[in-house]
């Protein structure tokens, strides 16, 4: 949609640069795939007629600038507060991107995200605390547990539709919390919290700035992994087909006509996303060196949902930017207390009530509003000259004709409003010579009238008898006599012609 | 065994009220009201505030108890209207109403929890015992006044609501909306005012269950989460929109919870409930009642 240049209105700027047209262009592709890195197309510059390359999709630019900022900002400032905040941003953004994959691509309205993350965190964390497994194994265990969890909770998804499934999964987090609280191994000791999970960065290094930077780097890599999985699944053949099927209101027949088993594919996407969520859970456990029951709380789930909603449902960039906004509010204004959560809630509510699809849906929404305003304005212009424009304008080839006719009409309207007895008396007193401004303008208008049916003075006998006639406008065809009145002087005849023309102007 | 049945009945009557509220709202206006937790807590806090003042006025006995019940329901009904004013009225005629109202109600519940925290602090607030303290012995087993009162009040309230929906003009309008919203609108039932009425009624039911549940637990900012979850599960298992189905599901879930807690382990309760719901939904995807197969689409 966005790649097609707009035909009407302002066109988006697309970066372009001249190229050597004698050399053959080789498109760069991601290794092992057919996907191109940048969406480039060649064209001739319309002004210089030189060969040039145009970047048709600017998203990779924004992504690389944004991610670079996300990477460099905390590393550059390197305060503890920033590391904590941006670490949380990276991990939550990764979780949200996977959730977006489930909601947007698979089209499953699942709230089981944090339950899956928690399963990964608690499973891997428990194994690490009890058996001391190293972190690579923990991450693997997390992914396997997450995938398993995803498989289990995707079973009812085949039978249930939409909101029923949302309801079912919303309860899952609460159930998991109950389970952890009640179970002897996990919940007995510290109210469900796990401590002493193995870390990726050795703990003696963690106190230093280098260790903190490295720790942050791992969180950033986790986000990159999530984004890569999102791109791999969402941009792949299945992802595209699934989204195409979802646009036609979950039309399963449509997608099967396209050649995919809708339910099977969306389950597959769901399981992949769940495996990554479990992986992220295990990563979260190693990142903070433990887990707590907070991961199963409804509040955190709602905060994550607020992030997605504020950014825009179904878009990876929305998930990331929403996370930056919400985590920024909650981590930066810590002295506001509960009010900052209220602010987040109000933002989410506002984006549901006033926008169509969060922050990243705003552009399309604004453009639509602008287009509608423009259409209304144009309709207003047309209705002012509704007499002929609305019906005829499309058929008139020469557009200057339309302008001319519009001008003529407004001129006629103005002149007609000037007609009054004083003006006529002025002309009667002195048909030739200097006149008032209005009368002069009116006479000018009369003079430039077209020849056919133009009133003129016919001299029967010089200085004795004059008549008013109308020209035929055709060669060889004599003028017709308008009436049988005869005027003794030229001035009287002039005035008679003037009166006739005024009459016609009045009637027009 | 009788004790298990009694505790199952108590659980069923408390959670069933919430579940019926959710079910009614969904069936008549097509909105999943996930702010039920917020409405629940609103009722609890209103009742608590009333109890504070009532003690100052020297009210005791029946006046206090009845006031706690009435004010709990009133507070929740008002909270229901508030939710409707934010999540129902502005969104009602826009596209994607269901998803958007779902998100809006979730946002309200996020805000609500924090507001309670700001207003009342994180401490648990106890409500005065509405039904007095004591037990009655029936044959081999006994039950406390609180258990008996809970069952009776819930059943009476439910019967009143059902009777009202069956016999009154307003109830007829609601049932028309549940059967066919478009058809109801065509014959002159106002979608907006009926929707707000439904929200107020389901809010009142939730408030009642809030007061009843506060006899066992306390009122706290997050006390609405657990009942909301269980209410959701029950309304789902019962089939959204079907009152008999919801009542049956409430009984079933209550029984399962009581049995599991008694003979297995408390920690297994979530899994048993989840397994039951999934089983029900696998065999009957629209729940036990399951009458709204195609009407809602």
């Amino acid at each position: 949609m966005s790649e097609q240049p707009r035909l009407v209105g302002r066109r988006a700027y697309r970066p372009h640069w001249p190229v050597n047209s004698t050399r053959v262009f080789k498109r760069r592709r991601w290794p092992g795939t057919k996907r191109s890195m940048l969406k480039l197309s060649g064209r001739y510059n319309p002004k210089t007629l030189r060969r040039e390359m145009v970047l048709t999709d600017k998203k990779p630019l924004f992504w690389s600038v944004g991610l670079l900022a996300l990477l460099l900002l905390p590393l550059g400032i390197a305060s503890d507060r920033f590391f904590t905040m941006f670490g949380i941003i990276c991990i939550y953004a990764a979780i949200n991107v996977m959730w977006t994959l489930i909601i947007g691509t698979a089209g499953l309205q699942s709230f089981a995200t944090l339950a899956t993350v928690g399963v990964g965190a608690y499973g891997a964390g428990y194994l690490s605390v009890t058996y001391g497994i190293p972190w690579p194994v923990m991450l693997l265990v997390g992914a396997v547990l997450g995938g398993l969890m995803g498989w289990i909770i995707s079973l009812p998804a085949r039978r249930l539709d939409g909101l029923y499934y949302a309801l079912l999964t919303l309860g899952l987090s609460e159930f998991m919390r109950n389970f952890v609280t009640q179970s002897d191994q996990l919940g007995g000791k510290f109210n469900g919290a796990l401590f002493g999970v193995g870390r990726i960065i050795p703990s003696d290094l963690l106190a230093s700035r280098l260790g903190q930077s490295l720790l942050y780097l791992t969180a950033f890599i986790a986000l990159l992994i999530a984004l890569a999985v999102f791109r791999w699944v969402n941009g792949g053949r299945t992802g595209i087909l699934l989204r195409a099927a979802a646009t036609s209101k979950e039309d399963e027949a449509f997608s099967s006509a396209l050649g995919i088993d809708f339910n099977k594919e969306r389950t597959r996407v769901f399981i992949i996303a769940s495996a990554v969520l479990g992986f992220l859970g295990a990563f979260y456990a190693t990142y903070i060196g433990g887990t707590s029951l907070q991961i199963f709380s409804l509040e955190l789930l709602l905060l994550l949902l607020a992030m997605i909603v504020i950014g825009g449902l179904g878009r990876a960039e929305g998930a990331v930017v929403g996370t930056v906004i919400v985590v920024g509010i909650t981590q930066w204004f810590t002295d506001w207390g509960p009010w900052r959560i209220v602010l987040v809630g109000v933002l989410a509510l506002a984006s549901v009530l006033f926008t169509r699809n969060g922050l990243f849906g705003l552009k399309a929404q604004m453009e639509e509003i602008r287009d509608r305003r423009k259409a209304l304005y144009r309709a207003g212009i047309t209705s002012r000259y509704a007499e002929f424009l609305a019906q005829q304008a499309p058929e008139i080839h020469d557009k200057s004709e339309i302008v001319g006719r519009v001008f003529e009409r407004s001129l006629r309207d103005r002149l007609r409003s000037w007609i009054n007895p004083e003006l006529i008396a002025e002309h009667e007193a002195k048909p030739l010579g200097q006149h008032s401004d209005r009368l002069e303008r009116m006479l000018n208008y009369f003079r430039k009238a077209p020849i056919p049916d133009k009133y003129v003075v016919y001299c029967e006998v010089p200085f004795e008898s004059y008549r008013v006639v109308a020209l035929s406008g055709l060669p060889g065809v004599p003028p017709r006599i308008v009436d049988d009145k005869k005027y003794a002087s030229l001035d009287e005849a002039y005035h008679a012609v003037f009166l006739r023309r005024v009459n016609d102007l009045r009637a027009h | 065994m009788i004790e298990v049945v009694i505790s199952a009945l108590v659980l069923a009557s408390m959670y069933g009220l919430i579940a019926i509220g959710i079910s009614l709202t969904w069936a008549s206006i097509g909105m999943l009201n996930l702010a039920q937790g917020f409405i629940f807590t609103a009722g609890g806090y209103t009742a608590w505030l009333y109890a504070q003042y009532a003690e100052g006025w020297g009210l005791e006995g029946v006046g206090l108890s009845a006031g706690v019940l009435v004010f709990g329901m009133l507070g929740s009904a008002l909270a229901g209207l508030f939710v409707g004013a934010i999540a129902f009225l502005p969104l009602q005629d826009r596209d994607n109403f269901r998803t958007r109202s779902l998100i809006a109600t979730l946002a309200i519940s996020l805000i609500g929890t924090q507001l309670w925290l700001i207003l009342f602090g994180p401490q648990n607030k106890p409500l005065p015992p509405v039904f007095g303290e004591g037990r009655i012995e029936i044959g081999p087993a006994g039950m406390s006044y609180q258990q008996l009162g809970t069952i009776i009040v819930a059943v009476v309230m439910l019967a009143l609501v059902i009777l009202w929906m069956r016999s009154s003009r307003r109830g007829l309008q609601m049932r028309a909306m549940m059967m066919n919203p478009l058809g109801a609108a065509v014959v002159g039932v106002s979608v907006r005012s009926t929707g707000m009425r439904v929200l107020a009624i389901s809010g009142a039911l939730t408030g009642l269950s809030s007061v009843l549940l506060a006899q066992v637990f306390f009122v706290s900012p997050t006390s609405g989460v657990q009942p909301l979850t269980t209410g959701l599960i029950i309304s789902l298992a019962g089939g959204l929109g079907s009152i008999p189905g919801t009542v049956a599901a409430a009984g079933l879930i209550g029984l399962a919870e009581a049995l599991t807690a008694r003979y297995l382990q408390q920690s297994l309760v979530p899994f048993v409930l989840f397994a039951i719901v999934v089983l029900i939904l696998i065999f009957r995807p629209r729940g036990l009642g399951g009458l709204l197969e195609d009407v809602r689409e």
Side-chain angles (χ1 to χ4, degrees):
Chain A
M1 246 331 234
S2 60
E3 289 137 27
Q4 276 184 349
R6 286 159 61 97
L7 290 175
V8 179
R10 207 159 56 99
R11 286 180 203 172
Y13 170 76
R14 292 186 295 172
H16 51 88
W17 54 94
V19 286
N20 184 356
S21 55
T22 55
R23 228 178 42 218
V24 175
F25 170 62
K26 192 169 176 298
R27 193 175 288 279
R28 288 224 179 88
R29 296 177 194 279
W30 291 106
T33 66
K34 287 180 180 173
R35 297 187 188 186
S36 51
M37 288 184 172
L38 287 175
K39 217 169 184 182
L40 296 169
S41 65
R43 69 162 189 196
Y44 290 99
N45 187 310
K47 281 180 186 157
T48 61
L49 297 183
R50 302 266 294 276
R51 191 68 187 163
E52 65 181 11
M53 201 55 90
V54 185
L55 183 63
T56 34
D57 190 1
K58 284 185 286 186
K59 270 187 205 152
L61 281 187
F62 296 133
W63 269 112
S64 32
V65 170
L67 286 178
L68 211 63
L70 199 60
L71 175 64
L72 293 183
L73 214 61
L75 291 186
I77 295 174
S79 75
D80 278 358
R81 207 174 171 194
F82 254 71
F83 275 129
T84 320
M85 185 168 122
F86 277 85
I88 291 176
I89 285 179
C90 284
I91 294 171
Y92 284 2
I95 294 173
N96 280 335
V97 166
M98 283 302 106
W99 197 0
T100 301
L101 193 63
I102 293 172
I103 297 179
T105 309
L108 283 170
Q109 295 182 332
S110 159
F111 285 102
T113 317
L114 276 181
T116 315
V117 172
V119 165
Y122 268 97
Y126 178 70
L127 288 181
S128 169
V129 171
T130 322
Y131 302 105
I133 57 172
W135 64 267
V137 184
M138 268 182 71
L139 297 183
L140 199 69
V141 165
V144 170
L145 281 178
L148 216 61
M149 176 87 176
W151 180 69
I152 292 171
I153 53 184
S154 71
L155 288 180
R158 293 192 172 216
R159 297 285 312 234
L160 295 176
D161 57 20
L163 295 179
Y164 284 75
Y165 191 63
L167 280 190
L168 188 65
T169 48
L170 191 66
L172 215 58
S173 282
E174 182 66 13
F175 279 165
M176 296 307 297
R177 197 177 67 79
N178 267 354
F179 173 68
V180 172
T181 322
Q182 309 276 348
S183 85
D184 299 331
Q185 276 90 21
L186 296 173
K189 281 167 273 181
F190 308 105
N191 194 19
L194 272 181
F195 295 110
V197 175
R199 313 290 295 256
I200 296 180
I201 312 295
S203 48
D204 47 338
L205 203 63
L206 272 180
S208 68
R209 175 168 292 182
L210 177 71
Q212 287 288 324
S213 308
L214 285 178
L215 190 66
Y216 174 67
L217 214 59
T218 57
F220 187 73
I221 290 172
L223 173 59
L224 286 188
I225 290 174
L227 284 172
V229 171
F230 181 85
R231 175 127 166 73
W232 172 55
V233 176
N234 188 52
R237 186 183 131 80
T238 352
I240 292 170
L241 288 180
L242 275 179
R243 274 179 292 145
T247 50
S248 67
K249 291 286 166 219
E250 297 174 359
D251 191 353
E252 300 185 17
F254 175 66
S255 61
S256 62
L258 286 173
I260 57 167
D261 183 345
F262 191 65
N263 267 327
K264 200 179 126 202
E265 289 304 325
R266 68 200 270 191
T267 312
R268 202 173 67 90
V269 171
F270 186 73
I271 291 174
I272 291 173
S274 298
V276 178
L277 284 174
F279 162 82
L280 287 171
F283 173 77
Y284 189 51
T286 71
Y287 183 79
I288 60 173
T291 51
S292 73
L293 275 181
Q294 204 224 342
I295 206 161
F296 290 127
S297 71
L298 185 66
E299 190 193 313
L300 188 60
L301 186 69
L302 294 187
L303 271 181
L304 286 185
L305 183 72
M307 297 174 196
I308 289 189
V309 168
I310 289 172
L313 216 64
R315 290 157 167 264
E317 59 266 38
V320 175
V321 173
T323 311
V324 171
I325 292 173
V326 171
V327 177
I329 290 173
T330 52
Q331 294 285 316
W332 199 250
F333 303 107
T334 34
D335 45 343
W336 288 12
W339 284 109
R340 63 194 203 279
I341 312 284
V342 173
L343 176 65
V344 170
V346 168
L347 279 181
L349 208 54
S351 56
V352 171
L353 291 182
F354 302 118
T355 73
R356 199 168 309 150
N357 194 10
L359 206 57
F360 280 88
L362 218 54
K363 189 172 171 242
Q365 199 178 350
M366 289 296 168
E367 267 168 12
E368 194 166 297
I369 290 174
R370 203 177 60 192
D371 286 354
R372 205 182 312 135
R373 285 230 175 115
K374 266 187 192 164
L376 275 179
Y377 173 68
R378 290 204 182 108
I381 292 181
T382 344
S383 70
R384 250 186 282 162
Y385 309 110
E387 191 177 56
F388 60 90
L389 261 189
Q391 292 83 18
Q392 298 175 357
E395 295 157 19
I396 298 173
H397 181 68
D398 184 2
K399 299 303 175 197
S400 64
E401 173 105 347
I402 297 174
V403 179
R405 283 161 79 167
V406 168
F407 172 74
E408 288 279 312
R409 192 191 143 139
S410 65
L411 182 64
R412 268 201 309 276
D413 286 346
R414 198 163 66 244
L415 292 180
R416 196 182 299 131
S417 71
W418 290 348
I419 299 171
N420 57 19
E422 289 96 70
L423 198 85
I424 292 170
E426 186 193 346
H427 187 269
E428 191 175 12
K430 201 169 79 175
L432 294 179
Q434 204 169 10
H435 296 121
S436 69
D437 181 59
R438 290 194 167 181
L439 183 57
E440 199 62 51
R441 280 169 191 272
M442 200 175 282
L443 289 172
N444 275 340
Y445 172 73
F446 288 151
R447 278 175 199 132
K448 76 175 175 57
I451 294 300
D453 277 340
K454 194 176 187 178
Y455 298 114
V456 291
V457 176
Y458 170 62
C459 168
E460 266 184 346
V461 182
F463 308 108
E464 269 175 36
S465 165
Y466 298 91
R467 304 186 73 143
V468 176
V469 295
L471 297 176
S472 70
L474 297 169
V477 180
R480 69 186 161 87
I481 294 171
V482 179
D483 55 13
D484 47 3
K485 273 190 185 158
K486 292 183 177 176
Y487 304 97
S489 73
L490 195 54
D491 280 3
E492 270 173 62
Y494 279 151
H495 188 63
V497 166
F498 176 76
L499 283 181
R500 280 202 166 267
R501 287 174 175 175
V502 165
N503 244 354
D504 281 7
L505 179 64
R506 263 206 192 114
H508 206 83
Chain B
M1 191 60 211
I2 293 176
E3 282 165 19
V4 171
V5 171
I6 288 171
S7 87
L9 275 179
V10 171
L11 286 172
S13 48
M14 287 190 294
Y15 293 136
L17 286 174
I18 306 179
I20 284 171
I22 294 174
S23 200
L24 271 184
T25 316
W26 162 257
S28 51
I29 58 181
M31 179 173 108
L32 266 184
N33 188 1
L34 295 184
Q36 286 288 359
F38 162 73
I39 296 173
F40 183 90
T41 339
Y45 276 119
T46 319
W48 176 77
L49 274 181
Y50 165 77
Q52 296 298 104
Y53 283 110
E55 274 164 23
W57 301 329
L59 265 178
E60 269 177 21
V62 182
L64 183 68
S65 306
V68 165
L69 284 178
V70 167
F71 271 88
M73 290 168 67
L74 213 60
S76 282
L78 279 179
L81 288 178
F82 173 73
V83 169
I86 288 182
F88 171 62
L89 291 184
L91 292 174
Q92 173 250 334
D93 47 359
R94 299 222 233 135
D95 36 321
N96 255 335
F97 164 64
R98 284 189 206 176
T99 318
R100 293 172 90 175
S101 64
L102 176 84
I103 295 170
T105 52
L106 282 175
I108 290 173
S109 81
L110 179 68
I111 297 172
T113 310
Q114 302 301 321
L115 280 183
W116 300 137
L117 202 59
I118 292 166
L119 288 175
F120 296 105
Q123 300 88 7
N124 289 337
K125 311 282 187 203
L127 284 188
V130 175
F131 306 108
E133 283 165 26
R135 286 175 70 83
I136 50 168
E137 301 292 330
I138 315 166
M143 67 204 296
S144 64
Y145 286 158
Q146 176 259 329
Q147 286 176 318
L148 187 67
T150 301
I151 297 173
I152 291 176
V153 168
V155 168
V156 166
M157 188 65 203
L158 202 58
L160 280 179
V161 168
I162 292 177
L163 204 68
W164 181 75
M165 282 189 65
R166 290 230 169 139
S167 57
S168 75
R169 193 78 190 162
R170 304 277 179 230
L172 184 67
Q173 289 181 349
M174 273 185 212
R175 282 184 293 136
M177 283 252 297
M178 285 164 77
M179 281 179 181
N180 189 341
L182 190 66
V186 166
V187 296
V189 175
S190 163
V191 175
R192 290 174 164 247
S193 58
T194 312
M196 292 302 271
R197 219 168 277 136
V198 167
L199 280 167
I201 285 176
S202 57
L205 287 178
T206 311
L208 183 64
S209 88
S210 169
V211 175
L212 294 180
L213 207 63
Q215 302 296 312
V216 192
F217 302 109
F218 299 103
V219 182
S220 77
T222 52
S223 64
V225 177
Q226 162 74 34
L228 168 71
T229 315
T230 318
L232 282 181
I233 293 296
I234 291 174
S235 58
L236 199 57
L240 288 163
S242 151
I243 290 182
T246 310
V247 171
L252 195 65
I253 299 271
L255 193 63
E257 189 169 341
L259 277 175
T260 318
R262 180 79 199 281
Y263 294 108
L264 293 167
Q265 246 184 328
Q266 183 69 35
S267 66
L268 289 179
V269 166
F271 290 99
V272 171
L273 292 196
F274 202 70
I276 288 178
V277 171
V278 167
L279 272 180
I280 290 177
L281 290 177
I282 283 175
F283 289 108
R284 290 185 68 94
R286 301 288 172 147
L288 289 176
L291 70 159
L292 284 162
E293 235 80 349
D294 33 40
V295 173
R296 251 293 155 201
E297 295 308 317

